[in-house]
Amino acid sequence: MLLIRCPYCEEERPELEFRNAGEAHIARSANIAGESDDDFEKFFFIRSNPKGIIYERWRHMHGCARFFNAVRDTISDKFIMTYKAGEPKPVKLPGVAK
Amino acid sequence: MSGAFRISGAGRLSQAKTARFSFDGQSYSGIEGDTLASALLANGVHLVGRSFKYHRPRGFLSAGAEEPNALVEIKRDAARKTPNVRATVQELYDGLAAQSQNRWPSLAFDVGAVNDIASPLFSAGFYYKTFMWPKAAWKSLYEPKIRAAAGLGVAPDQPDPDHYSARFAHCDVLVLGGGAAGIAAALAAAETGVRVILADEQAEFGGSLRFESGAKIDGRDGFAWAQAAITRLKAMDNVRLLARTTAFGYYAQNFVGLVERVSDHLQNPGRELPRERLWQVRAKRVVLATGAIERHMVFADNDRPGIMLASAARTYLNHYGVAVGRNVGVYTANDSAYAAAIDLKKAGVNVAAIVDLRDNPTGPAIDEARALGIEINFGRAVIRAGGKLRVSSMTVQPKNGGGERTVPVDAILMSAGWTPSVHLFSQSRGKVAFNDETKRFVPGIYAQDCVSVGACNGTDGLSATIDEAYAAGAKAAKDAGAKAAKGTKPKVDASESWSRGMLGAAPGAGPDTTVKAFVDFQNDVTAKDIRQAVHEGMRSIEHVKRFTTNGMATDQGKTSNMHGLAIAAETLGKPIPQVGLTTFRAPYTPVTFGSIVGHARGQLFDPTRKTAIHPWAEAQGAVFEDVGQWKRAWYFPKAGDDMHAAVDRECVTVRKTAGLFDASTLGKIEVVGPDAAKFMELLYTNPWEKLEPGRCRYGIMLREDGFIYDDGVVGRLAADRFHVTTTTGGAPRVMNHMEDYLQTEFPHLNVWLTSITEQWAVIAVQGPKSRDIIAPLVEGIDMSDEALPHMSVREGKICGVPTRLFRMSFTGERGFEVNVPADYGQAVWEALWAEGQKHGACAYGTEAMHVLRAEKGYIIVGQDTDGTVTPNDAGLDWAVGKKKTDFVGIRGMSRTDLVAKGRKQLVGLKTKDPKVVLEEGAQIVGDPKQAIPMKMIGHVTSSYWSENCGRSIALALVAGGRDRMGETLYVPMPNGTIEVEVAGMVFFDEKGERLNG
């Protein structure tokens, strides 16, 4: 069971309290009704599924109930960092060589 | 004396405490502290099982958790039968009853042994090739027969009456393995004051010190030192000792799963003790001290009962005081088997000969064996074992060929060397590295905050082990935040040393032979099978493993993996590290389902939710159904009613007078804030801005893909306050969906969401008399049609308590839903019930509710929709705000396929014979005469007998359904084809006049 740091509670809590909510930083267009088929496909269907660093959304379901973002390594399953929803995608990751 | 093979003065058990037990119905006597294995051996019993595939007679290979052969069934009573128990770890108790497995009619005479003669048919991968045709025979004939013939024990056929508990624990240093290394590490860590857990799978700590007679620490015998150290640790408040506890899985972030066997060793455990306890431990640092496992020699017929690991024979002698034979042979490729020969010889057992594959080894063990007068043969191999139910001889030959010589023996002790137990290290995602010099895989790159010490780290010798372990324990404590240690390191006065040994097949079992030289005893895999797998094209060790099943049995290849790998590598002509090691997976040893499930069974498996009105319905004799976690009143039978009679009566009564229905389980969410209407506009297809406070609207929620996700009536209580209802099952996901959009897509909106499902009990009062029933109890609300029209909501009081009174209908009748605080739910229900009685109203359940809504063509999301239905498909276009520029699903809904012609649309179906009720889920075709497989054009989603219509009614999703009105379609069923006519969805009161009736 993973330990996940909730950026709102500022505490590491067991995975049981959390729920994954899919990939992060996929913006919903302000003019979604006018989007082309291609753009809607990208927005709704296409996900990155990388081997390595993934940016994803989690919800502290059985805690503060807030959605937040996390950077996780899909190879080691390690959480590299978590940050609040709405904050920009971090470029520099702690402990990850680029 | 318990058993003829118990040696006076040997071992550590107290002869005074005898325990009676039985094996295959035969009674024996053992000693408290025995394992089932040592007690049987003390009685001269070696034959304990039949092998998996060939039904070959098998005895004990080991004295520990790695045992592949000696699997038995332990039976306490009819329900408590445990199959596949390793006799080498089962502790003896008075009255223990064990049975052998996988044999018929008896262990000594097993009909299945014909498989051994027919073994050419059962070579590696035989089931992939032999039983291919006829195809149908696999399920009906081959698989059941193979499963019955091959196998392990029989699963229990009754519910498990034992209970299992679970604990979560945190510690600074978790030490896994309680041998010399583990104890030294635990001492070092514990002396700093940090929280330490030390776990070991055996009943007593000590590990290999149980048999290493040459070990002396701090001036005493190694095992005695271990017990003294454990006594010290036990006295420390910061230490928890877990004996009989196996660490079976090492998970992310130093999270380790352990199973403690609490009462399997007790004669009468009593109900207060769990059978097992699951420990889930989070440790800051983990010290792995899991030791090493001895390997057997791979030679012809090396599986005969009486042939075992040298260390096992030593354990039986030095710990249990049992000689495994009277005239033993030794076959080895390393030094440690000499110690077994020496110990047995000193105990008075004849050692017929030591056969050593090595050419001219030297060392103190060899000198001592020679001094004791034991015959030693260097550079020779045992090329075959004689005997069937028990080994009777070993045939010795110079390893490069030459004259054979047969030596009579009643046991063979073998050692091909030691394999470090890197299972947990590997499970922690650490990478093992192959040491070419010592021919073993040892921990290489660590992935977690752990450290390996002692034999599992490839460290040889007790002195080096204690040095390494003590330092590692102290460092782990320091890394976990300890100040400084104040203890002293144990001093090793004497120790034994291990040397390298060999991997793979021994001479006489080489590529040019067809002998049965077993690599994996439990799955009956021979050296030949592994070579055959390579010859048939398996290149990866993972493929070899699956093709031969080497290492796939319940022992997970603890003794076989390295031999199998070496033989595969040799056959492939590649060095071992290039062939690679198969993945180590949890569990290390088999774990019961009971321990994983723990208390989460029966009523504690899932919470049961009951409404405030539940006790009333129960008292009325309602039959309940499960809806998600909720118990809902299904129907209210009167004396002699079956379900149909009850439902028909309830449906008719509601339309004739009125009915009361407990709708409390409906999901309810309060949407509050200055931007509440804006938020509702975005989450639902409908327009909300212009909905006046006090009015209601039926809302549809879509996912972004344009498909219906949920629906429900929404009341606007004030400009900034909506009372949203959801489906019963959908409440949590709708709340999650709303929170997701509010927190992440529309965070600029000033809105708060609150789940109020359990705050309000909801009593639906439906029917022509509904207003007459409610009105006398209501204060402060004008109940006239003008003041409270259909689809409106008012706040006021009922029976003196606050209410949100909705005028709405899920039956098509004049109807109300009375929301009251849940604590008053039953009281208000009873008051309404008393009023209802005056008018002849009934209570109705969910089944009548379903029929009544279907008569009106009202859909149920999740029944009439399935996640691929758009509002248009469901005939709900009218509920989509045409002028809206945004809502969740607006873009998805307009995708090409979702607006294409011929989509499945929701329609009504009338059977030509009104008495025939269709089956929900039944498929619909256009032409019943077409060839099979027929083209299916839709399916029935809802179907009921409608007493009010005097006929059956159904809803269905049918391709292009709305263009097929009046068309005849067909529902092919096993007993004949049913003719149906496509109709509108409303079967009763098409004009909707009864809403104000």
Side-chain angles (χ1 to χ4, degrees), chain B residues 608-656:
Chain B
T608 300
R609 301 173 79 183
K610 293 176 180 171
T611 72
I613 297 147
H614 187 93
W616 184 90
E618 215 166 22
Q620 294 285 315
V623 177
F624 291 88
E625 70 166 334
D626 292 334
V627 180
Q629 292 171 331
W630 289 101
K631 293 278 175 205
R632 298 197 73 180
W634 196 10
Y635 55 95
F636 292 83
K638 289 192 173 159
D641 272 359
D642 63 3
M643 178 173 168
H644 284 287
V647 171
D648 288 351
R649 180 174 41 72
E650 290 167 21
C651 288
V652 169
T653 309
V654 169
R655 298 219 187 276
K656 212 172 94 202

Side-chain angles (χ1 to χ4, degrees), chain B residues 172-176 180-198 233 238 284-289 450-454 465-486 489-490:
Chain B
D172 295 304
V173 180
L174 171 64
V175 183
L176 301 174
I183 291 171
L187 281 172
E191 280 156 356
T192 69
V194 300
R195 292 172 305 162
V196 174
I197 296 178
L198 171 62
L233 286 166
N238 57 324
K284 284 187 188 152
R285 291 291 182 279
V286 173
V287 178
L288 297 168
C450 64
V451 60
S452 301
V453 296
T465 289
I466 298 260
D467 284 354
E468 176 179 77
Y470 196 81
K475 180 168 188 306
K478 188 161 174 269
D479 293 346
K483 298 276 179 307
K486 42 182 186 293
K489 191 174 72 180

Side-chain angles (χ1 to χ4, degrees), chain B residues 478-615:
Chain B
K478 188 161 174 269
D479 293 346
K483 298 276 179 307
K486 42 182 186 293
T488 44
K489 191 174 72 180
K491 188 172 160 293
V492 175
D493 305 312
S495 79
E496 301 178 358
S497 68
W498 292 346
S499 54
R500 278 144 216 186
M502 66 158 323
L503 292 172
D512 49 340
T513 65
T514 57
V515 298
K516 280 204 189 74
F518 286 92
V519 172
D520 184 319
F521 293 100
Q522 201 175 95
N523 267 353
D524 269 353
V525 181
T526 63
K528 178 175 153 278
D529 292 330
I530 300 204
R531 293 187 195 108
Q532 185 191 335
V534 173
H535 290 142
E536 293 199 12
M538 310 301 142
R539 290 293 175 270
S540 151
I541 193 66
E542 296 284 358
H543 290 158
V544 171
K545 169 178 169 173
R546 279 153 190 79
F547 191 72
T548 61
T549 70
N550 190 55
M552 285 171 70
T554 60
D555 68 340
Q556 289 278 291
K558 289 187 181 62
T559 48
S560 67
N561 277 346
M562 287 307 294
H563 280 321
L565 173 57
I567 296 167
E570 187 193 11
T571 314
L572 283 162
K574 284 184 183 173
I576 285 174
Q578 272 185 36
V579 179
L581 199 56
T582 53
T583 311
F584 291 93
R585 293 198 172 82
Y588 175 71
T589 51
V591 174
T592 61
F593 281 109
S595 63
I596 292 168
V597 169
H599 294 299
R601 55 190 281 196
Q603 290 200 320
L604 297 178
F605 178 67
D606 201 27
T608 300
R609 301 173 79 183
K610 293 176 180 171
T611 72
I613 297 147
H614 187 93

Side-chain angles (χ1 to χ4, degrees), chain A residues 1-3 26 28 30 32-33 35-37 40 43-45 57 59 61 65-67 75-78, chain B residues 252-253 255 282 429 447 704-705 736 739-740 743-746 885-888 890-892 895-896:
Chain A
M1 186 164 39
L2 301 167
L3 282 178
I26 295 172
R28 186 180 187 274
I32 194 162
E35 264 193 338
S36 70
D37 280 351
F40 183 73
F43 161 70
F44 189 72
F45 292 104
R57 308 186 320 129
R59 187 180 184 200
M61 195 72 192
R66 300 297 297 266
F67 283 83
I75 300 168
S76 66
D77 236 7
K78 270 192 185 140
Chain B
Q253 291 167 297
F255 189 68
R282 181 84 65 183
R429 298 197 176 185
E704 206 70 85
D705 57 11
N736 186 65
E739 279 288 353
D740 192 352
Q743 290 184 31
T744 67
E745 293 296 349
F746 314 129
T885 57
D886 196 3
F887 58 81
V888 174
I890 191 168
R891 179 62 183 84
R895 285 182 288 150
T896 321

